[in-house]
Amino acid sequence: MTAERHGRAVAAGLVGLAAVAALLEFVIRAGLVSPLIVAPPSSLPQAFALLAREGYLVAPFLITMAQAFAATALAAAVGVPLGFILWRRPLLGRAYEPWLGAAFAAPLILLYPLFLVIFGRGYATTVVVGALAAFIPIVLQTRAGLLGVPPVLINVGRSFHLSEPRLLWKIIFPAAAPAIFTGLRLALIYALVNIIGIEFLIDFGGLGRVVSQMYFQYQIPAMYAAIVLIVIVSLVFLSLLQRLETWWRPR
Amino acid sequence: MPGALVVENISKRFATSAGALAALEGVSLAVPQGRFVSIIGPSGCGKSTLFGVVGGLVPDYEGRVLIDGAPVHGTHDDIGMVFQEESTFPWLTVLENIMFPLDARGMARNECRERAERLVHLVGLDGFGNSYPAELSGGMRQRTAIARTLAAEPKILLMDEPFAALDEQTRLLLGDKLLQIWRELAQTTLLITHSITEAVQLSDEVVVMTYRPGRIKRVIPIDLPRPRSSEIVESAAFGRLVGTIWHDLREEALRGLAQTEPQGVSH
Ligand SMILES: Nc1ncnc2c1ncn2[C@@H]1O[C@H](COP(=O)(O)OP(=O)(O)OP(=O)(O)O)[C@@H](O)[C@H]1O
Ligand SMILES: [Mg+2]
């Protein structure tokens, strides 16, 4: 029943997408927007074929995927414990929460020359910038999730004589899981945006670089095809995260 | 199965922004083994505080809590607690919720499951073992919480207004269920409630508390015959007991109201 409902939601989403594509196609064909600025959706199959011919399809896709994964994993490995500490030490939490919240708005990507100097023109730079952008939402959401755990659930655990680690692992973290996963989803998106941005700027790596090359070669449909691929990377990741969440916490 | 509970001269003060607040003052009571005692009092009189002190969740109080004559500190294996607030784990099914304390003790998985299934039946949730709390009514969730507490086989059962959020009919019927479970398991039971009918329906003794600071105002023995069912509410004896308790409670409830309503504050 839920699978059926899920299927219907996906179908509805695709119908909407098709409608937007049709509208774009119409607007471009009618001459309201130049095809040199926006590629008509009907040109995408050919564009994908072009990318595939030039070897720009699979490898960049995998490279961007791997970087986004590495950056998000790194950010989670640092961000979840940090969020935990900011929860455990309320003074630290109150002290640093506003700073982190503000730093969230910093256009980290504009500091890319600095990271180039430190890490060189390589994957270390893209992954570190991605992770830096990603760890803030994880810290904030982890802390907020832990703060939001109903005290009564903790009391239930204490009334059952749970040890401190068990209390954390069996009650507190599962209770905070939805917020933490929201943090991970945001983190993934921030990591991906920043990684693509750097790839674009330094002409290095995966799909961001393909976008920049197609742009400078004036292959507008191929550029849009690369952007579609980026969206697919994020779709794949978000659905993996969804799976991980329902596996760990079914409700 | 022993399990006599004695509460001796408990006082508890909270430090609040408006200064020290005396929540409990010199509360003493005894629940002999296997008896059912209810505590009733107006909102804010310190019932949950007493529940927390007896269960070992509220620190820094004066006085003593004794189980079978021995003073206890902190949480205790002999005491099971059912909380006033929604307390089922939403990420676990009914069965997994009930298995929780057994799992935590390292009991073998299939033994856990067997015992949990018996409890599902005992609290009348047959067929809902694999449902999640979000799919249940409030009363069913509260029964899940009760079954989870019972799974640990405590000698003493403390309950803090377990049915407060439910309507009167459901509450009467769940009262029957509770009595049936109590007959079966024979636990020493201390029930906190603000429903007079619930207190009379279930208890051997009703303890009336005063409004802040919470003290014991009167202990009223309920000499209605057992086994009881909720039909007892029709009897004249039931009505008299409800009247007696309301007489005592009314004064305290009015005092509570006067202190919390703005126009009632006169200093
Ligand atoms: N942790 C706390 N810090 C400060 N004051 C508290 C704390 N817990 C309870 N109090 C105060 O102690 C008094 C008694 O609270 P308690 O929760 O025990 O009342 P109650 O009788 O259970 O009320 P209700 O019937 O509404 O559940 C209240 O005035 C409450 O504000
Ligand atoms: Mg209370």
Short mmCIF file of all heavy atoms in Angstrom, two decimals, chain B residues 174-230:
data_model
loop_
_atom_site.label_atom_id
_atom_site.label_comp_id
_atom_site.label_asym_id
_atom_site.label_seq_id
_atom_site.Cartn_x
_atom_site.Cartn_y
_atom_site.Cartn_z
N LEU B 174 -10.24 1.05 30.98
CA LEU B 174 -8.83 0.71 31.20
C LEU B 174 -8.58 0.43 32.67
O LEU B 174 -7.70 -0.36 33.02
CB LEU B 174 -7.92 1.83 30.69
CG LEU B 174 -7.76 1.89 29.18
CD1 LEU B 174 -6.74 2.93 28.80
CD2 LEU B 174 -7.35 0.54 28.62
N GLY B 175 -9.38 1.07 33.54
CA GLY B 175 -9.29 0.78 34.97
C GLY B 175 -9.60 -0.68 35.23
O GLY B 175 -8.88 -1.36 35.98
N ASP B 176 -10.65 -1.18 34.57
CA ASP B 176 -10.97 -2.61 34.69
C ASP B 176 -9.78 -3.46 34.27
O ASP B 176 -9.43 -4.44 34.93
CB ASP B 176 -12.17 -2.96 33.79
CG ASP B 176 -13.49 -2.54 34.42
OD1 ASP B 176 -13.50 -2.28 35.64
OD2 ASP B 176 -14.50 -2.47 33.69
N LYS B 177 -9.20 -3.09 33.14
CA LYS B 177 -8.05 -3.83 32.61
C LYS B 177 -6.91 -3.83 33.64
O LYS B 177 -6.28 -4.84 33.89
CB LYS B 177 -7.59 -3.13 31.31
CG LYS B 177 -6.63 -3.91 30.50
CD LYS B 177 -7.32 -4.73 29.44
CE LYS B 177 -6.86 -6.16 29.52
NZ LYS B 177 -7.69 -7.05 28.72
N LEU B 178 -6.70 -2.66 34.21
CA LEU B 178 -5.61 -2.50 35.18
C LEU B 178 -5.85 -3.39 36.40
O LEU B 178 -4.93 -4.05 36.90
CB LEU B 178 -5.54 -1.03 35.60
CG LEU B 178 -4.23 -0.53 36.15
CD1 LEU B 178 -3.14 -0.71 35.11
CD2 LEU B 178 -4.35 0.95 36.51
N LEU B 179 -7.10 -3.43 36.85
CA LEU B 179 -7.43 -4.27 38.02
C LEU B 179 -7.21 -5.74 37.70
O LEU B 179 -6.72 -6.51 38.52
CB LEU B 179 -8.87 -4.04 38.45
CG LEU B 179 -9.12 -2.79 39.30
CD1 LEU B 179 -10.58 -2.71 39.71
CD2 LEU B 179 -8.23 -2.79 40.54
N GLN B 180 -7.58 -6.10 36.47
CA GLN B 180 -7.41 -7.50 36.06
C GLN B 180 -5.91 -7.87 36.05
O GLN B 180 -5.52 -8.92 36.55
CB GLN B 180 -8.00 -7.67 34.66
CG GLN B 180 -7.92 -9.06 34.09
CD GLN B 180 -7.92 -9.00 32.56
OE1 GLN B 180 -8.56 -8.12 31.96
NE2 GLN B 180 -7.17 -9.89 31.94
N ILE B 181 -5.09 -6.95 35.54
CA ILE B 181 -3.64 -7.19 35.51
C ILE B 181 -3.09 -7.26 36.93
O ILE B 181 -2.28 -8.11 37.27
CB ILE B 181 -2.93 -6.06 34.72
CG1 ILE B 181 -3.33 -6.13 33.24
CG2 ILE B 181 -1.42 -6.16 34.85
CD1 ILE B 181 -2.92 -4.90 32.45
N TRP B 182 -3.58 -6.35 37.76
CA TRP B 182 -3.10 -6.28 39.14
C TRP B 182 -3.43 -7.57 39.89
O TRP B 182 -2.63 -8.10 40.65
CB TRP B 182 -3.74 -5.05 39.80
CG TRP B 182 -3.42 -4.88 41.24
CD1 TRP B 182 -2.21 -4.56 41.78
CD2 TRP B 182 -4.32 -5.02 42.34
NE1 TRP B 182 -2.30 -4.48 43.13
CE2 TRP B 182 -3.59 -4.76 43.51
CE3 TRP B 182 -5.68 -5.33 42.44
CZ2 TRP B 182 -4.18 -4.80 44.77
CZ3 TRP B 182 -6.25 -5.36 43.69
CH2 TRP B 182 -5.51 -5.10 44.84
N ARG B 183 -4.66 -8.10 39.64
CA ARG B 183 -5.04 -9.37 40.27
C ARG B 183 -4.09 -10.48 39.84
O ARG B 183 -3.69 -11.32 40.62
CB ARG B 183 -6.47 -9.76 39.87
CG ARG B 183 -7.52 -9.34 40.87
CD ARG B 183 -8.77 -10.20 40.78
NE ARG B 183 -9.33 -10.31 39.45
CZ ARG B 183 -10.06 -9.38 38.85
NH1 ARG B 183 -10.31 -8.24 39.48
NH2 ARG B 183 -10.53 -9.55 37.65
N GLU B 184 -3.73 -10.44 38.56
CA GLU B 184 -2.90 -11.49 38.00
C GLU B 184 -1.46 -11.43 38.50
O GLU B 184 -0.85 -12.42 38.81
CB GLU B 184 -2.93 -11.39 36.47
CG GLU B 184 -2.71 -12.69 35.77
CD GLU B 184 -3.39 -12.68 34.41
OE1 GLU B 184 -4.60 -12.32 34.35
OE2 GLU B 184 -2.73 -13.00 33.43
N LEU B 185 -0.91 -10.20 38.53
CA LEU B 185 0.51 -10.06 38.85
C LEU B 185 0.76 -9.69 40.31
O LEU B 185 1.89 -9.81 40.78
CB LEU B 185 1.16 -9.01 37.93
CG LEU B 185 1.00 -9.25 36.43
CD1 LEU B 185 1.67 -8.15 35.64
CD2 LEU B 185 1.59 -10.60 36.04
N ALA B 186 -0.26 -9.22 41.01
CA ALA B 186 -0.18 -8.93 42.44
C ALA B 186 0.95 -7.99 42.83
O ALA B 186 1.63 -8.18 43.82
CB ALA B 186 -0.07 -10.23 43.24
N GLN B 187 1.19 -6.95 41.98
CA GLN B 187 2.23 -6.00 42.34
C GLN B 187 1.73 -5.00 43.36
O GLN B 187 0.56 -4.65 43.38
CB GLN B 187 2.63 -5.16 41.11
CG GLN B 187 3.73 -5.76 40.35
CD GLN B 187 3.34 -5.88 38.92
OE1 GLN B 187 2.17 -5.77 38.59
NE2 GLN B 187 4.32 -6.08 38.09
N THR B 188 2.66 -4.52 44.16
CA THR B 188 2.40 -3.36 45.00
C THR B 188 2.25 -2.18 44.04
O THR B 188 3.12 -1.95 43.21
CB THR B 188 3.61 -3.13 45.92
OG1 THR B 188 3.87 -4.34 46.61
CG2 THR B 188 3.34 -2.01 46.89
N THR B 189 1.15 -1.44 44.14
CA THR B 189 0.90 -0.40 43.15
C THR B 189 0.63 0.95 43.79
O THR B 189 -0.18 1.05 44.72
CB THR B 189 -0.29 -0.81 42.26
OG1 THR B 189 -0.02 -2.07 41.67
CG2 THR B 189 -0.54 0.22 41.17
N LEU B 190 1.31 1.96 43.29
CA LEU B 190 1.05 3.33 43.71
C LEU B 190 0.64 4.12 42.47
O LEU B 190 1.43 4.28 41.55
CB LEU B 190 2.31 3.93 44.34
CG LEU B 190 2.16 5.33 44.93
CD1 LEU B 190 1.14 5.36 46.05
CD2 LEU B 190 3.50 5.85 45.45
N LEU B 191 -0.61 4.54 42.46
CA LEU B 191 -1.15 5.23 41.28
C LEU B 191 -1.38 6.69 41.62
O LEU B 191 -2.01 7.01 42.61
CB LEU B 191 -2.47 4.58 40.87
CG LEU B 191 -3.24 5.31 39.76
CD1 LEU B 191 -2.66 5.00 38.40
CD2 LEU B 191 -4.73 4.96 39.79
N ILE B 192 -0.86 7.55 40.77
CA ILE B 192 -1.12 8.98 40.93
C ILE B 192 -2.21 9.36 39.95
O ILE B 192 -2.19 8.92 38.80
CB ILE B 192 0.18 9.76 40.71
CG1 ILE B 192 1.08 9.54 41.91
CG2 ILE B 192 -0.10 11.23 40.49
CD1 ILE B 192 2.49 9.93 41.68
N THR B 193 -3.17 10.13 40.43
CA THR B 193 -4.29 10.45 39.55
C THR B 193 -4.88 11.78 39.97
O THR B 193 -4.60 12.28 41.06
CB THR B 193 -5.36 9.34 39.63
OG1 THR B 193 -6.44 9.68 38.78
CG2 THR B 193 -5.88 9.14 41.04
N HIS B 194 -5.65 12.41 39.09
CA HIS B 194 -6.47 13.50 39.58
C HIS B 194 -7.95 13.21 39.35
O HIS B 194 -8.79 14.08 39.47
CB HIS B 194 -6.04 14.86 39.04
CG HIS B 194 -6.04 14.95 37.54
ND1 HIS B 194 -5.09 15.63 36.84
CD2 HIS B 194 -6.86 14.42 36.63
CE1 HIS B 194 -5.34 15.50 35.55
NE2 HIS B 194 -6.41 14.79 35.40
N SER B 195 -8.24 11.93 39.05
CA SER B 195 -9.62 11.54 38.87
C SER B 195 -10.12 10.80 40.11
O SER B 195 -9.57 9.77 40.50
CB SER B 195 -9.74 10.62 37.65
OG SER B 195 -10.91 9.85 37.74
N ILE B 196 -11.16 11.38 40.75
CA ILE B 196 -11.67 10.77 41.98
C ILE B 196 -12.25 9.40 41.68
O ILE B 196 -12.02 8.44 42.40
CB ILE B 196 -12.74 11.66 42.64
CG1 ILE B 196 -12.16 13.07 42.86
CG2 ILE B 196 -13.19 11.08 43.95
CD1 ILE B 196 -13.17 14.03 43.44
N THR B 197 -13.03 9.29 40.60
CA THR B 197 -13.66 8.00 40.30
C THR B 197 -12.59 6.93 40.06
O THR B 197 -12.71 5.81 40.53
CB THR B 197 -14.57 8.08 39.05
OG1 THR B 197 -13.88 8.79 38.04
CG2 THR B 197 -15.88 8.75 39.35
N GLU B 198 -11.55 7.31 39.35
CA GLU B 198 -10.49 6.35 39.09
C GLU B 198 -9.87 5.87 40.40
O GLU B 198 -9.65 4.67 40.61
CB GLU B 198 -9.41 7.00 38.21
CG GLU B 198 -8.34 6.07 37.74
CD GLU B 198 -7.40 6.77 36.76
OE1 GLU B 198 -7.70 6.72 35.55
OE2 GLU B 198 -6.41 7.38 37.19
N ALA B 199 -9.60 6.82 41.30
CA ALA B 199 -8.98 6.48 42.58
C ALA B 199 -9.87 5.51 43.36
O ALA B 199 -9.41 4.50 43.88
CB ALA B 199 -8.71 7.75 43.39
N VAL B 200 -11.17 5.80 43.42
CA VAL B 200 -12.09 4.96 44.21
C VAL B 200 -12.28 3.61 43.53
O VAL B 200 -12.30 2.57 44.17
CB VAL B 200 -13.43 5.68 44.43
CG1 VAL B 200 -14.41 4.77 45.17
CG2 VAL B 200 -13.22 6.97 45.20
N GLN B 201 -12.40 3.65 42.22
CA GLN B 201 -12.63 2.41 41.45
C GLN B 201 -11.51 1.38 41.70
O GLN B 201 -11.78 0.19 41.78
CB GLN B 201 -12.69 2.75 39.96
CG GLN B 201 -12.93 1.57 39.03
CD GLN B 201 -12.59 1.92 37.57
OE1 GLN B 201 -12.20 3.06 37.26
NE2 GLN B 201 -12.72 0.96 36.69
N LEU B 202 -10.28 1.87 41.80
CA LEU B 202 -9.15 0.95 41.77
C LEU B 202 -8.54 0.61 43.12
O LEU B 202 -8.00 -0.48 43.29
CB LEU B 202 -8.05 1.54 40.88
CG LEU B 202 -8.43 1.88 39.43
CD1 LEU B 202 -7.27 2.55 38.72
CD2 LEU B 202 -8.85 0.61 38.69
N SER B 203 -8.62 1.54 44.09
CA SER B 203 -7.68 1.46 45.22
C SER B 203 -8.19 0.74 46.45
O SER B 203 -9.38 0.61 46.68
CB SER B 203 -7.28 2.87 45.63
OG SER B 203 -7.11 3.68 44.51
N ASP B 204 -7.21 0.36 47.29
CA ASP B 204 -7.49 -0.07 48.65
C ASP B 204 -7.52 1.15 49.57
O ASP B 204 -8.13 1.12 50.63
CB ASP B 204 -6.38 -1.01 49.14
CG ASP B 204 -6.36 -2.31 48.37
OD1 ASP B 204 -7.44 -2.89 48.17
OD2 ASP B 204 -5.27 -2.74 47.94
N GLU B 205 -6.80 2.19 49.12
CA GLU B 205 -6.63 3.36 49.96
C GLU B 205 -6.40 4.56 49.06
O GLU B 205 -5.69 4.44 48.07
CB GLU B 205 -5.36 3.17 50.81
CG GLU B 205 -5.48 3.60 52.24
CD GLU B 205 -4.25 3.13 53.01
OE1 GLU B 205 -3.17 3.67 52.75
OE2 GLU B 205 -4.39 2.21 53.82
N VAL B 206 -7.02 5.69 49.39
CA VAL B 206 -6.78 6.90 48.62
C VAL B 206 -6.12 7.93 49.52
O VAL B 206 -6.60 8.22 50.61
CB VAL B 206 -8.09 7.47 48.03
CG1 VAL B 206 -7.83 8.81 47.34
CG2 VAL B 206 -8.71 6.48 47.05
N VAL B 207 -5.00 8.46 49.06
CA VAL B 207 -4.27 9.48 49.82
C VAL B 207 -4.55 10.82 49.17
O VAL B 207 -4.29 11.01 47.98
CB VAL B 207 -2.76 9.18 49.78
CG1 VAL B 207 -1.98 10.28 50.48
CG2 VAL B 207 -2.47 7.82 50.40
N VAL B 208 -5.11 11.75 49.94
CA VAL B 208 -5.40 13.09 49.40
C VAL B 208 -4.27 14.03 49.78
O VAL B 208 -3.87 14.09 50.94
CB VAL B 208 -6.74 13.64 49.94
CG1 VAL B 208 -7.04 15.00 49.34
CG2 VAL B 208 -7.87 12.66 49.62
N MET B 209 -3.75 14.74 48.78
CA MET B 209 -2.66 15.69 49.04
C MET B 209 -3.16 17.11 49.06
O MET B 209 -4.15 17.45 48.43
CB MET B 209 -1.56 15.54 47.98
CG MET B 209 -0.64 14.36 48.24
SD MET B 209 0.62 14.21 46.97
CE MET B 209 1.72 15.56 47.39
N THR B 210 -2.45 17.96 49.79
CA THR B 210 -2.79 19.39 49.84
C THR B 210 -2.13 20.09 48.67
O THR B 210 -1.17 19.59 48.08
CB THR B 210 -2.28 20.04 51.13
OG1 THR B 210 -0.85 19.96 51.13
CG2 THR B 210 -2.84 19.35 52.36
N TYR B 211 -2.62 21.30 48.37
CA TYR B 211 -1.96 22.13 47.37
C TYR B 211 -0.67 22.66 47.97
O TYR B 211 -0.48 22.65 49.15
CB TYR B 211 -2.89 23.27 46.91
CG TYR B 211 -2.29 24.02 45.76
CD1 TYR B 211 -2.16 23.41 44.51
CD2 TYR B 211 -1.78 25.30 45.93
CE1 TYR B 211 -1.56 24.07 43.47
CE2 TYR B 211 -1.18 25.98 44.89
CZ TYR B 211 -1.07 25.36 43.66
OH TYR B 211 -0.46 26.01 42.64
N ARG B 212 0.21 23.16 47.17
CA ARG B 212 1.58 23.52 47.52
C ARG B 212 1.75 24.15 48.90
O ARG B 212 1.02 25.07 49.21
CB ARG B 212 2.12 24.48 46.47
CG ARG B 212 3.12 23.80 45.62
CD ARG B 212 3.58 24.50 44.43
NE ARG B 212 3.20 25.87 44.27
CZ ARG B 212 2.92 26.40 43.09
NH1 ARG B 212 2.94 25.66 42.01
NH2 ARG B 212 2.62 27.66 42.99
N PRO B 213 2.74 23.77 49.70
CA PRO B 213 3.57 22.59 49.46
C PRO B 213 2.77 21.31 49.67
O PRO B 213 1.91 21.27 50.54
CB PRO B 213 4.67 22.73 50.50
CG PRO B 213 4.07 23.53 51.60
CD PRO B 213 3.09 24.46 50.95
N GLY B 214 3.07 20.30 48.85
CA GLY B 214 2.32 19.05 48.92
C GLY B 214 2.53 18.34 50.25
O GLY B 214 3.65 18.01 50.62
N ARG B 215 1.43 18.20 50.99
CA ARG B 215 1.47 17.40 52.23
C ARG B 215 0.36 16.39 52.12
O ARG B 215 -0.50 16.48 51.25
CB ARG B 215 1.18 18.29 53.44
CG ARG B 215 2.27 19.25 53.79
CD ARG B 215 2.06 19.74 55.23
NE ARG B 215 2.74 21.01 55.41
CZ ARG B 215 2.16 22.20 55.22
NH1 ARG B 215 0.88 22.27 54.89
NH2 ARG B 215 2.85 23.30 55.37
N ILE B 216 0.35 15.43 53.06
CA ILE B 216 -0.75 14.48 53.06
C ILE B 216 -1.87 15.03 53.91
O ILE B 216 -1.67 15.40 55.07
CB ILE B 216 -0.28 13.11 53.55
CG1 ILE B 216 0.73 12.66 52.50
CG2 ILE B 216 -1.47 12.16 53.72
CD1 ILE B 216 0.88 11.25 52.28
N LYS B 217 -3.05 15.17 53.29
CA LYS B 217 -4.18 15.77 54.00
C LYS B 217 -4.95 14.69 54.73
O LYS B 217 -5.31 14.84 55.88
CB LYS B 217 -5.07 16.49 53.00
CG LYS B 217 -6.19 17.31 53.63
CD LYS B 217 -6.99 17.98 52.51
CE LYS B 217 -8.20 18.70 53.05
NZ LYS B 217 -7.88 20.07 53.47
N ARG B 218 -5.23 13.60 54.04
CA ARG B 218 -6.02 12.55 54.65
C ARG B 218 -5.82 11.24 53.88
O ARG B 218 -5.55 11.26 52.68
CB ARG B 218 -7.51 12.93 54.58
CG ARG B 218 -8.40 12.10 55.49
CD ARG B 218 -9.85 12.33 55.16
NE ARG B 218 -10.27 13.73 55.34
CZ ARG B 218 -10.68 14.24 56.50
NH1 ARG B 218 -10.72 13.49 57.57
NH2 ARG B 218 -11.07 15.49 56.56
N VAL B 219 -5.95 10.15 54.59
CA VAL B 219 -5.89 8.83 53.95
C VAL B 219 -7.25 8.18 54.11
O VAL B 219 -7.75 8.06 55.23
CB VAL B 219 -4.81 7.94 54.59
CG1 VAL B 219 -4.80 6.56 53.95
CG2 VAL B 219 -3.44 8.60 54.47
N ILE B 220 -7.89 7.86 53.00
CA ILE B 220 -9.25 7.32 53.05
C ILE B 220 -9.25 5.85 52.61
O ILE B 220 -8.92 5.55 51.46
CB ILE B 220 -10.17 8.16 52.15
CG1 ILE B 220 -10.22 9.59 52.69
CG2 ILE B 220 -11.57 7.56 52.08
CD1 ILE B 220 -10.66 10.60 51.69
N PRO B 221 -9.59 4.94 53.51
CA PRO B 221 -9.66 3.54 53.11
C PRO B 221 -10.86 3.29 52.21
O PRO B 221 -11.93 3.86 52.44
CB PRO B 221 -9.79 2.77 54.44
CG PRO B 221 -10.11 3.78 55.47
CD PRO B 221 -9.97 5.16 54.91
N ILE B 222 -10.66 2.50 51.17
CA ILE B 222 -11.77 2.18 50.25
C ILE B 222 -12.17 0.74 50.54
O ILE B 222 -11.50 -0.20 50.11
CB ILE B 222 -11.32 2.33 48.78
CG1 ILE B 222 -10.72 3.70 48.54
CG2 ILE B 222 -12.49 2.06 47.83
CD1 ILE B 222 -11.65 4.87 48.73
N ASP B 223 -13.27 0.59 51.28
CA ASP B 223 -13.63 -0.76 51.71
C ASP B 223 -14.66 -1.41 50.79
O ASP B 223 -15.48 -2.20 51.22
CB ASP B 223 -14.13 -0.73 53.16
CG ASP B 223 -15.05 0.46 53.39
OD1 ASP B 223 -15.53 1.02 52.37
OD2 ASP B 223 -15.29 0.84 54.55
N LEU B 224 -14.62 -1.05 49.52
CA LEU B 224 -15.54 -1.68 48.55
C LEU B 224 -15.07 -3.11 48.29
O LEU B 224 -13.86 -3.37 48.30
CB LEU B 224 -15.55 -0.89 47.24
CG LEU B 224 -16.03 0.55 47.36
CD1 LEU B 224 -15.79 1.31 46.07
CD2 LEU B 224 -17.51 0.60 47.73
N PRO B 225 -16.03 -4.02 48.07
CA PRO B 225 -15.62 -5.42 47.88
C PRO B 225 -14.82 -5.61 46.60
O PRO B 225 -14.95 -4.85 45.65
CB PRO B 225 -16.97 -6.16 47.79
CG PRO B 225 -17.95 -5.12 47.39
CD PRO B 225 -17.48 -3.84 47.97
N ARG B 226 -13.96 -6.60 46.60
CA ARG B 226 -13.22 -7.00 45.40
C ARG B 226 -13.62 -8.42 45.07
O ARG B 226 -14.02 -9.16 45.97
CB ARG B 226 -11.71 -6.94 45.68
CG ARG B 226 -11.19 -5.52 45.84
CD ARG B 226 -9.69 -5.53 45.65
NE ARG B 226 -9.08 -4.27 45.98
CZ ARG B 226 -8.80 -3.30 45.09
NH1 ARG B 226 -9.17 -3.46 43.83
NH2 ARG B 226 -8.21 -2.20 45.45
N PRO B 227 -13.46 -8.91 43.86
CA PRO B 227 -13.03 -8.14 42.69
C PRO B 227 -14.07 -7.12 42.25
O PRO B 227 -15.26 -7.36 42.37
CB PRO B 227 -12.84 -9.22 41.63
CG PRO B 227 -13.69 -10.36 42.05
CD PRO B 227 -13.76 -10.32 43.54
N ARG B 228 -13.57 -5.97 41.76
CA ARG B 228 -14.46 -4.89 41.36
C ARG B 228 -14.48 -4.78 39.83
O ARG B 228 -13.53 -5.16 39.16
CB ARG B 228 -13.95 -3.56 41.89
CG ARG B 228 -13.98 -3.45 43.38
CD ARG B 228 -13.41 -2.11 43.78
NE ARG B 228 -12.96 -2.15 45.18
CZ ARG B 228 -12.06 -1.31 45.67
NH1 ARG B 228 -11.53 -0.38 44.91
NH2 ARG B 228 -11.71 -1.40 46.93
N SER B 229 -15.55 -4.19 39.33
CA SER B 229 -15.55 -3.80 37.93
C SER B 229 -16.04 -2.37 37.88
O SER B 229 -16.52 -1.84 38.87
CB SER B 229 -16.45 -4.72 37.10
OG SER B 229 -17.75 -4.20 37.06
N SER B 230 -15.96 -1.77 36.72
CA SER B 230 -16.32 -0.36 36.62
C SER B 230 -17.80 -0.14 36.91
O SER B 230 -18.23 0.99 37.14
CB SER B 230 -15.95 0.18 35.24
OG SER B 230 -16.41 -0.69 34.24
#
